[in-house]
């Protein structure tokens, strides 16, 4: 995956991918950022969120979700920069999907 360009929440950058097989599909979880004047950008700070895309093959092609899976809130994950990052995902024995992530406010 790469940046999608203006007007997307992951317009400027995608990184820290994590691929997980869930059922019959592969899901790539990643950090997306927008350095533009997109409405999601908070006062010009880089705005990070966790997104996902899915495929029937680990080699793609990937279909992205249009909106992020997880976003920051000002009171929880915002200090100088706003965002959530570093998604790590596991599927437990009962099929539940669990994600551990970092809030950029070090919470």
């Amino acid at each position: 995956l790469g940046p999608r360009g203006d007007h997307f929440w992951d317009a400027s950058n995608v990184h820290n991918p994590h691929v997980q097989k869930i059922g019959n599909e592969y899901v790539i979880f990643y950090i997306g950022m927008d350095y533009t004047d997109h409405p999601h950008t908070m006062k010009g700070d880089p705005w990070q969120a966790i997104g996902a895309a899915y495929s029937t093959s680990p080699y793609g092609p990937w279909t992205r979700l249009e909106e992020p899976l997880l976003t920051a809130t000002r009171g929880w994950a915002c200090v100088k920069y706003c965002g959530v990052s570093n998604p790590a995902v596991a599927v437990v024995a009962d099929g539940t999907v669990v994600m551990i992530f970092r809030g950029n406010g070090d919470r």
Side-chain angles (χ1 to χ4, degrees):
L1 293 176
R4 289 197 270 187
D6 292 346
H7 308 296
F8 290 99
W9 67 271
D10 53 356
S12 304
N13 190 355
V14 297
H15 63 103
N16 284 29
H18 174 91
V19 177
Q20 181 73 47
K21 187 170 186 185
I22 301 174
N24 293 326
E25 292 185 313
Y26 293 87
V27 181
I28 184 169
F29 299 90
Y30 63 93
I31 301 167
M33 286 194 261
D34 180 5
Y35 292 105
T36 68
D37 289 329
H38 188 275
H40 287 128
T41 305
M42 296 181 183
K43 296 186 178 178
D45 290 337
W47 182 82
Q48 292 183 331
I50 295 173
Y54 58 92
S55 176
T56 56
S57 166
Y59 304 105
W62 297 95
T63 301
R64 293 187 213 221
L65 299 180
E66 288 301 312
E67 296 296 323
L69 285 178
L70 187 64
T71 60
T73 60
R74 283 204 178 272
W76 188 81
C78 293
V79 178
K80 181 176 179 184
Y81 299 108
C82 293
V84 289
S85 60
N86 304 338
V89 177
V91 179
V92 296
D94 68 358
T96 302
V97 178
V98 178
M99 177 189 294
I100 298 170
F101 62 94
R102 176 180 179 264
N104 289 354
D106 288 329
R107 294 181 169 82

